[in-house]
Amino acid sequence: MWSDFFTVSVFVATLASGIRLATPFLLAALGEAVGQRSGVLNLGVEGVMLIGAFAAYFTKLKTESTVLAVLVALGVGAVMGLIYAFVTVIMQAAQGISGIGIYLFGLGFTDLLFQKQVGTPQPIPKLAKVEIPLLSDIPWIGEIFFQHNLLVYLAFLLVPVAWFMINKTTFGLNIRAVGETPEAADTLGVSVNLTRTFTIVIGNTMAGLAGAALALEVGIFQQNLTAGQGFIAIALVYFGAWRPVGVMSGALLFGIVSATVLTLKTLGIVEGAASSLLAMAPAILTIVVLVVVSRRIAAPAALTRPFDRAAS
Amino acid sequence: MRIRTTPKTAVALVAGLALVAGACGSDDDSSDSADDAEEAVDEAEETLDSVADEAEEAVDTAVDDTEEATENSAAEETDEAAGDGETIRVGIVAPSASNDLAFTQSMVDSVERVEAERDLEVAITDGTFVVEDAAAAIRGYAEDGFDLVIAHGSQYGGPLEEIAPDFPEVSFAWGTSVDTFGLDNVYAYTTNADLGGYVNGVMAAQLTESDVIGVVGPVEVGDAKLYVDGFSNGVAATNPDVTVNVNYIESFSDVALASEAATSLVANGADILTGTAQMVVGATGVATESGLPWFGTQSNQTPLGEDIVVASQVYHWEIVLNQMLDSLEGGTLGGETYTLTFENGGLEMEYNDAFELDEAVRASADEAVAGLTDGSLTTGVTE
Amino acid sequence: MEPDPAAPMLEMRGITKRFPGVVANDGVDLSVLPGQVHTLLGENGAGKSTLMKILYGLYQPDEGSIELRGEPVTITSPSDAIERGIGMIHQHFMLVPTLTVAENVALGLGGRHGLSDMNPVKERLADVSDRYGLRVDPDAYIWQLAVGERQRAEILKALYRDASLLVLDEPTAVLTPPEVDELFATLRQLTDDGRGLVFISHKLHEVMELSDEITVLRHGKVSGRTRPSEASRESLAEMMVGRAVELTRTVDQQTAGAPQLRVSELDVIGDRGNLAVKSLDLEVCSGEIVGVAGVSGNGQRELAEAMFGLRPIERGHVQIGDERTSAPTPRQVRSMGLAYVPEERMRDGAVADFTVAENLMLVDYNTPTYSAGGFLKRQRIADRCRELVGNYRVKTPDIDTPTRNLSGGNIQKVVIAREFSSDATAFVVAQPTRGVDIGAAEYIHERLLEQRANGAAILLISEDLDEVMQLSDRIIVLLEGEVMGELTRDEFDVNTIGLLMSGVTSASPA
């Protein structure tokens, strides 16, 4: 039985599956990481993912345009970002509880819209796989990395983009400063609130995109489609120590372990109670690494702390 | 029928807004975020209490507006109820959406069918995948004087066992289960889902060319386990050379995981798929994409794949509902267990006309149904 | 820069700033000439910070005008202030610890095509560093730097932006005496370049040494203008406080009694898991004040907390009188006769939301005198509190006023009243006059000496070297959790102590 698992084709299929599973996590977690680097915790990722997922699903259902579906998901994500920025940056509300509010809103709102506008689950065509010329022909590697839909490629391309933005641009310098010591940034003329508003909008837009990636990958929407993925994405930000590459490692680890568990079950290698236990493996592994990592690297010092010039 | 989309729709929506607003409102002189959060929660809870009812009404109105027909019949019935006092009030608490094309919808559809014949006033609280929310809803219906409160989910047994003794005048029902906790105001209902599973298995075994069939399951309990075991036995009885790969993903809601599980099954040779519970919409998508036949259960799943759904085992809960309501009118509040079977008409095979099913295969399925109905055939599944 | 020595580079006229319930600045005038150090002197809450925040664009004045180099200006934001050549060296460094020195300097400046290329920044930074002898590694992260280096980074940040007017808010508070000398040399070089400096301090001898002009603020108003040649420390103190103040206290020689408070081979772990106190021995006799000097962060706080049971002891023990313990708890050491005036008075010393009476009774409330059967004896408590408030001259509307409404000095008097009125025989007193006005500080010093005269053993931990030297019979100097040296009263000398604080022992060649 185990010998079945150690065949090239199973291995390759499992890794490719892991990459697909990792994609929504990666998109949401990258966005959340950017927000957290600027000192804003957004527990509403799950809710925004749901809204993005519904927006993409509904647009695709009605217009059959994938491009439009993705654009609408990005748009509603950005709008949710503006709302969250207004609440936490302008109104200086406590971030934890506001984020939970956004989550509940997203959960309830998408379900209501779905019931009123769609009714019963109606499938939409899944997003087509795009095989990258030449690269997809490489044995094994091609199937693992280069036979996915465009949003999968986009998610992974955004990793170096996010890294570059955070580490090599003046905007990134502002983000890091604002997340660590907003008072210092303020005295040098960096607008703390504007910087945070931007990062929140970026983060929520990416959460919307993550939702779209999910809905277009599974080709359907239903109540609570995300099933906790947004919260796992937040955990992955800590897991990745607020660094894009770390976040990507976390998302990939989570995705690949999940896919491996599925493969082991498909092949009948594990069954019954062992299979139930194994289903917890991704979560347990994440927690273990989280504990190890969080002992090593500190969170942005100003995380969850609203900035108020008068109080400093 | 009134569908109370509380708590997961309206209340979640309102709670979300209230929390956000509350968090903003608490922005006074205190810079202590813990204080802020606490205040926000308090405020939000207060707001929630006061607006939940209004929201509920508002949503009801919305539902009524869009479902005029239902509205009319419900109004008529309510009028009648006021007249003769014979109306039985039924409250239903269900874990997923009313339109999930699966477990919850099977009950909602059934109740609609019963309502057409009987004098009922029905209210539904759906989407209570959090057991604590469900417990609150169950207690709420009992306190509101409903005659029958149905807890539609095997995960609701614990709270029901605690709540039922507090309301000896109210009848409770829950499923799928066979356990009435020895209480005389609790009915249990279940379904022999293995029957339809077996029939689906008989057909699948004849359709497969690769001799590998894939099954996506949620958690290995209840009617999901019965269905999957019945399906496997049906396949084995028809063609012992066929391998059935079962993948329980340990979740009732993770659509992405269900999708990948189906993909994994297909990658490992499956050319026929089936599955049960509300997250299978992820798996039907894979079946559609790969053009592989799909066998459904719980509700008629043809809308999920017009081209690929072969047949669905459909639950007709109205059979057990009618049995319960008859018993209730006779003055008995519980203590019985009712089961859906082919024999009592609670289970039915529905076929997708758009799928060109070989006559011989269809005939073998009908034969299996007949055998399972008259008892000459058994699925070999024991609970 | 083309300084015209006669024309002021900054002219603030009639600045008034009101906050709810308080006038922070009331018609303040300030004029700074190029090439001069203009000192702004005043107690906490006198309005210095408000005035400087207005200058830096963080607040807008309600009334008054600002002129820079003869032009009337409205400074709308810190970036506006920076553009106009104003630089601010904050007391609490405005540096991002997780960024490098170069990144901190470049923050807010923008970059070519939005990219943060550090190479041109480092080049220019090297020029500025060389010119003023402000040595600091541009690639080092701020958290890796010592306090003195951080201050150099902070100054470089302003100079990099070509600030011609620099505001230095209490820049010496965190420095050792040798570092202060170095800083003053740099500041002199800056004024030689024609820059104007606003120097904020309450250390009178520094003010006398560095200033060209002095403006004294009291209660938001200018209470005096002078220059060092026309002033004395006493006259400056009088302008600050509004009455004559005794600055140099003569402490009577007193023969110390038997050892009362003892710490042996103490190891304590700090917040970051480091060994903050290393194998430390000390002894305080009854009728003796032992001062602990050192730059903040060298184990003083950990030592005090460990002695009082607020932080676990890794190794060693604490002895009070004849009793010793290696795992003290606050209640236990109190019963052994130790009292504690903590450094963070609003965190560890008093509960801000409690009334004055409640804070005064925090220690004794459950003794039979003040409670029976779980109920407080209200009348007896009220009598006792009124007596304490009177004796310790706590300025409060009444004993039921929430403590947070009191000034820093009065909160400290509440803590001191509670601790000193106990029958403790040994005291750990940390930073007793930090953030306290001169009048209250004077009073607190009197009370400390009174306890000494009554035979108490007092361990006085303070970053204010003047305070330690004035009150102590002996001084030990802490560096990185270790005793660098111990001096008796006749050996006290700022330079010696300063060198010990920075790690130069008497054995090393000076």
Side-chain angles (χ1 to χ4, degrees), chain C residues 213-232:
Chain C
E213 300 277 343
I214 302 169
T215 295
V216 186
L217 288 182
R218 186 170 77 238
H219 300 322
K221 289 183 187 166
V222 175
S223 59
R225 281 178 221 284
T226 180
R227 42 188 71 190
S229 53
E230 298 156 8
S232 66

Short mmCIF file of all heavy atoms in Angstrom, two decimals, chain C residues 213-232:
data_model
loop_
_atom_site.label_atom_id
_atom_site.label_comp_id
_atom_site.label_asym_id
_atom_site.label_seq_id
_atom_site.Cartn_x
_atom_site.Cartn_y
_atom_site.Cartn_z
N GLU C 213 21.42 81.46 26.01
CA GLU C 213 20.25 82.15 26.54
C GLU C 213 19.41 81.13 27.30
O GLU C 213 19.40 79.95 26.96
CB GLU C 213 19.39 82.71 25.39
CG GLU C 213 20.08 83.70 24.49
CD GLU C 213 20.08 85.12 25.07
OE1 GLU C 213 19.26 85.35 25.99
OE2 GLU C 213 20.88 85.94 24.62
N ILE C 214 18.66 81.63 28.28
CA ILE C 214 17.78 80.72 29.03
C ILE C 214 16.40 81.34 29.13
O ILE C 214 16.27 82.52 29.50
CB ILE C 214 18.31 80.45 30.46
CG1 ILE C 214 19.73 79.86 30.39
CG2 ILE C 214 17.38 79.54 31.24
CD1 ILE C 214 20.45 79.81 31.72
N THR C 215 15.37 80.56 28.77
CA THR C 215 14.00 80.98 29.01
C THR C 215 13.38 79.98 29.97
O THR C 215 13.48 78.76 29.75
CB THR C 215 13.19 81.02 27.71
OG1 THR C 215 13.75 82.03 26.86
CG2 THR C 215 11.72 81.34 27.97
N VAL C 216 12.80 80.49 31.06
CA VAL C 216 12.23 79.60 32.07
C VAL C 216 10.71 79.65 31.98
O VAL C 216 10.11 80.72 31.89
CB VAL C 216 12.68 80.01 33.50
CG1 VAL C 216 12.20 78.97 34.51
CG2 VAL C 216 14.19 80.16 33.55
N LEU C 217 10.11 78.49 31.96
CA LEU C 217 8.64 78.39 31.92
C LEU C 217 8.13 77.89 33.26
O LEU C 217 8.72 77.02 33.89
CB LEU C 217 8.19 77.41 30.84
CG LEU C 217 8.33 77.81 29.36
CD1 LEU C 217 7.79 76.71 28.47
CD2 LEU C 217 7.61 79.12 29.09
N ARG C 218 7.00 78.45 33.67
CA ARG C 218 6.30 77.92 34.84
C ARG C 218 4.80 78.03 34.59
O ARG C 218 4.32 79.08 34.20
CB ARG C 218 6.69 78.67 36.11
CG ARG C 218 6.08 78.03 37.35
CD ARG C 218 6.64 78.59 38.65
NE ARG C 218 6.08 79.89 38.98
CZ ARG C 218 6.78 80.98 39.17
NH1 ARG C 218 8.09 80.95 39.05
NH2 ARG C 218 6.19 82.12 39.47
N HIS C 219 4.08 76.96 34.80
CA HIS C 219 2.64 76.92 34.59
C HIS C 219 2.25 77.50 33.23
O HIS C 219 1.28 78.25 33.12
CB HIS C 219 1.91 77.69 35.70
CG HIS C 219 2.17 77.15 37.06
ND1 HIS C 219 2.29 75.81 37.32
CD2 HIS C 219 2.37 77.77 38.24
CE1 HIS C 219 2.53 75.62 38.60
NE2 HIS C 219 2.60 76.79 39.19
N GLY C 220 3.01 77.18 32.21
CA GLY C 220 2.66 77.60 30.86
C GLY C 220 3.07 79.01 30.50
O GLY C 220 2.86 79.44 29.36
N LYS C 221 3.64 79.78 31.48
CA LYS C 221 4.05 81.16 31.17
C LYS C 221 5.55 81.30 31.30
O LYS C 221 6.19 80.53 32.03
CB LYS C 221 3.40 82.12 32.17
CG LYS C 221 1.91 82.28 31.99
CD LYS C 221 1.40 83.31 32.97
CE LYS C 221 -0.12 83.32 32.91
NZ LYS C 221 -0.71 84.02 34.02
N VAL C 222 6.08 82.30 30.63
CA VAL C 222 7.50 82.58 30.79
C VAL C 222 7.68 83.23 32.16
O VAL C 222 7.09 84.27 32.45
CB VAL C 222 8.00 83.52 29.68
CG1 VAL C 222 9.45 83.91 29.94
CG2 VAL C 222 7.85 82.85 28.32
N SER C 223 8.48 82.58 33.03
CA SER C 223 8.67 83.15 34.37
C SER C 223 10.03 83.82 34.50
O SER C 223 10.34 84.39 35.53
CB SER C 223 8.51 82.04 35.42
OG SER C 223 9.47 81.03 35.18
N GLY C 224 10.84 83.73 33.44
CA GLY C 224 12.11 84.45 33.51
C GLY C 224 12.94 84.23 32.28
O GLY C 224 12.78 83.24 31.57
N ARG C 225 13.78 85.24 31.96
CA ARG C 225 14.75 85.10 30.87
C ARG C 225 16.09 85.54 31.42
O ARG C 225 16.19 86.56 32.10
CB ARG C 225 14.39 86.05 29.73
CG ARG C 225 13.29 85.56 28.85
CD ARG C 225 13.03 86.64 27.79
NE ARG C 225 11.58 86.76 27.60
CZ ARG C 225 10.86 85.90 26.93
NH1 ARG C 225 11.42 84.85 26.38
NH2 ARG C 225 9.58 86.08 26.80
N THR C 226 17.10 84.78 31.11
CA THR C 226 18.41 85.14 31.66
C THR C 226 19.48 84.47 30.82
O THR C 226 19.20 83.86 29.79
CB THR C 226 18.50 84.72 33.15
OG1 THR C 226 19.76 85.09 33.66
CG2 THR C 226 18.30 83.22 33.30
N ARG C 227 20.74 84.67 31.26
CA ARG C 227 21.83 83.92 30.64
C ARG C 227 22.78 83.48 31.75
O ARG C 227 22.75 84.05 32.85
CB ARG C 227 22.54 84.76 29.58
CG ARG C 227 22.77 86.20 29.97
CD ARG C 227 23.29 87.00 28.82
NE ARG C 227 22.28 87.22 27.81
CZ ARG C 227 22.54 87.73 26.61
NH1 ARG C 227 23.78 88.02 26.27
NH2 ARG C 227 21.57 87.94 25.76
N PRO C 228 23.59 82.44 31.50
CA PRO C 228 24.37 81.85 32.59
C PRO C 228 25.21 82.87 33.34
O PRO C 228 25.36 82.77 34.56
CB PRO C 228 25.25 80.82 31.88
CG PRO C 228 24.49 80.46 30.66
CD PRO C 228 23.76 81.69 30.24
N SER C 229 25.74 83.86 32.62
CA SER C 229 26.60 84.82 33.30
C SER C 229 25.83 85.63 34.34
O SER C 229 26.42 86.17 35.28
CB SER C 229 27.23 85.77 32.26
OG SER C 229 26.19 86.34 31.47
N GLU C 230 24.52 85.74 34.17
CA GLU C 230 23.73 86.55 35.10
C GLU C 230 22.97 85.70 36.10
O GLU C 230 22.23 86.23 36.93
CB GLU C 230 22.70 87.39 34.30
CG GLU C 230 23.34 88.37 33.34
CD GLU C 230 22.38 88.73 32.20
OE1 GLU C 230 21.20 88.33 32.27
OE2 GLU C 230 22.83 89.39 31.27
N ALA C 231 23.09 84.37 35.97
CA ALA C 231 22.24 83.52 36.80
C ALA C 231 23.07 82.57 37.64
O ALA C 231 24.28 82.43 37.44
CB ALA C 231 21.30 82.70 35.91
N SER C 232 22.41 81.97 38.60
CA SER C 232 23.02 80.90 39.38
C SER C 232 22.03 79.74 39.38
O SER C 232 20.87 79.90 39.00
CB SER C 232 23.27 81.37 40.81
OG SER C 232 22.02 81.60 41.43
#
